[in-house]
Amino acid sequence: MPGQYINRKYTRSIMVILRFLWAFSYLWAMMHAAAILPIPYERWENNFWSKKRNYVLTYKSLFEFKMKTEMYVHVLVFVVLFSLYRCCQCRLIGARFMLPGLDRPSNKYRLMALAAPYWFAFIGTWTISTLITVWGLILVVKRDESDRTYVLIAQLIIAMLFKLMVLANVYSTVLRIWGYIKIFEKDSIVGQLNYNNFGDHLDLFFRV
């Protein structure tokens, strides 16, 4: 039985596109996850002799899902991926043979300069939404008079854990990217050939 024919050119092209879309979706999702916040809304329950104040928990986002806002987020994400591409100095699809001492990847300062707007936006959004979540937790503990106080507190604690998991995930990704960029710099100094394309590097950076 003849062996199966594999067109490696198109296979590598498709994998680069898929990994790019996955990395793009990851960065987009992390930005929106940082903007999610639970908000307790005050509500009064009328009894026969008195009124009782309670809170209902709803979830919102600091970002409004409008075309203009989404365009800003997409531009920030695209700039991060472009900065990674420039720092690796790899081929988009094919392999690039790096010459020792000449084809050195861009230094870490260029990566920080190009990707800084996204990371600053992420950190600022995460900080604001987390502070609002903490304030909501304090508000419920002090003012809620219903029988669902402990349920609301548990929901707010779960929201806080979610925010911490998002931060930890992004932090570990940034450290992994930084580590691989430094490895690429050392390999270029000793003349190590780089056969990877951009999709292969995205696989290393984001585990896609």
Side-chain angles (χ1 to χ4, degrees):
M1 182 176 180
Q4 183 180 4
Y5 172 73
I6 299 176
N7 193 324
R8 297 188 180 276
K9 178 179 179 181
Y10 291 107
T11 301
R12 288 172 66 89
S13 302
I14 293 173
M15 290 305 300
V16 169
I17 294 173
L18 291 177
R19 286 168 173 166
F20 177 85
L21 292 176
W22 176 258
F24 194 96
S25 301
Y26 169 82
L27 293 173
W28 177 88
M30 289 298 103
M31 180 65 76
H32 282 279
I36 294 176
L37 69 159
I39 299 178
Y41 278 99
E42 185 180 85
R43 190 174 65 180
W44 290 89
E45 289 185 356
N46 295 322
N47 296 325
F48 185 75
W49 294 104
S50 62
K51 291 183 179 180
K52 187 178 288 187
R53 178 171 54 191
N54 60 19
Y55 287 90
V56 179
L57 197 64
T58 59
Y59 292 89
K60 287 193 173 183
S61 176
L62 291 177
F63 298 145
E64 296 183 1
F65 287 94
K66 295 181 179 179
M67 182 63 67
K68 185 177 181 180
T69 304
E70 288 299 315
M71 287 298 297
Y72 287 148
V73 176
H74 280 65
V75 169
L76 291 177
V77 172
F78 181 82
V79 170
V80 172
L81 294 176
F82 176 76
S83 68
L84 293 178
Y85 174 70
R86 293 298 299 169
C87 284
C88 298
Q89 287 194 347
C90 57
R91 293 294 184 187
L92 185 62
I93 296 176
R96 179 178 186 179
F97 304 98
M98 302 179 66
L99 299 176
L102 296 178
D103 293 333
R104 295 187 59 185
S106 304
N107 57 39
K108 56 184 179 181
Y109 301 106
R110 180 177 297 179
L111 172 63
M112 294 173 60
L114 291 178
Y118 176 89
W119 303 122
F120 283 141
F122 174 84
I123 294 173
T125 302
W126 185 90
T127 302
I128 294 173
S129 61
T130 303
L131 291 177
I132 294 176
T133 304
V134 172
W135 172 249
L137 179 61
I138 296 173
L139 195 68
V140 168
V141 170
K142 288 185 175 181
R143 298 185 179 182
D144 189 70
E145 300 173 353
S146 67
D147 299 330
R148 299 181 64 254
T149 303
Y150 294 106
V151 176
L152 288 173
I153 292 175
Q155 291 177 345
L156 287 168
I157 291 176
I158 292 174
M160 283 295 301
L161 292 176
F162 172 76
K163 305 294 287 187
L164 292 175
M165 290 176 60
V166 170
L167 181 63
N169 190 292
V170 173
Y171 181 72
S172 63
T173 301
V174 171
L175 289 181
R176 183 166 58 248
I177 292 174
W178 181 264
Y180 278 117
I181 291 295
K182 299 302 294 183
I183 292 175
F184 295 155
E185 289 181 353
K186 291 182 179 179
D187 289 344
S188 67
I189 295 176
V190 299
Q192 182 70 34
L193 296 179
N194 185 2
Y195 297 99
N196 296 329
N197 57 28
F198 188 48
D200 297 326
H201 286 164
L202 289 178
D203 186 25
L204 296 175
F205 294 153
F206 298 100
R207 305 295 188 188
V208 293

